Amino acid sequence: MPRLPPPPKPTAAWWRRALRASCGALLLAGLAPLAAGAEPPTEYQVKAAFLYNFTKFVEWPPRHFAAAESPITIGVLGADPFNGGLEAVVRGRRVGARPLVIRLLPAATAAAVDVLFVPAGQEALLDRATLASLGEAGVLTVGESPEFGALGGMINLVIEEHKVRFEINQAAAERGGLKLSAQLLKLATTVRRRL
């Protein structure tokens, strides 16, 4: 499937309207407010905010964390498309008592993370069995390509009308013992409830 061409050079006002319409105030809480005249957020700044906010609307199985204050580790598989932007979004933030930690991973490993982001083009580092074992270990898997969705990922970030949106595979999340909040499910463009 061909990649979408970049949008025409929109104005700052267009970006602000698009961001409000695409993900609502709830999921954009992870982005710092924009100062007047500031550059609009990039696609990956918005995606970083989504990743941070997903951690607030997922309940992991009780056995998943060693302690109540254990960190939530977000792993990025392969090449890092955020260029340090994900660390900037989560720096100093907590989800409940849990701090957030970012790890860059050359290969997928269930023991290393609680959330795994698979950038477009990095699906070759995964196969369906590996993705299933990650899910069974309670790892929230998030990607950004049709291939990732076809492999059985839990959340897939998509671009629709130049806006970042997301699809949810609720069945895959439930198989791993993850509970996605009703608020998160309402904001998804598509929710798959069967494997």
Side-chain angles (χ1 to χ4, degrees), residues 139-159:
V139 175
L140 177 69
T141 55
V142 182
E144 61 175 351
S145 68
E147 294 83 7
F148 180 78
L151 283 170
M154 294 177 191
I155 299 178
N156 197 31
L157 298 170
V158 295
I159 304 292

Side-chain angles (χ1 to χ4, degrees), residues 59-140:
E59 184 180 324
W60 279 268
R63 69 188 184 284
H64 185 79
F65 293 102
E69 62 282 341
S70 295
I72 295 174
T73 303
I74 301 173
V76 178
L77 184 61
D80 178 14
F82 300 101
N83 294 320
L86 183 55
E87 285 114 357
V89 167
V90 304
R91 187 175 297 120
R93 295 183 187 248
R94 294 180 166 276
V95 175
R98 301 183 191 286
L100 293 152
V101 176
I102 305 301
R103 290 187 62 193
L104 302 178
L105 305 170
T109 171
V113 297
D114 307 300
V115 179
L116 178 66
F117 179 71
V118 181
Q122 301 300 311
E123 300 86 1
L125 299 174
L126 287 174
D127 58 29
R128 189 177 296 275
T130 302
L131 197 56
S133 70
L134 288 166
E136 290 165 6
V139 175
L140 177 69

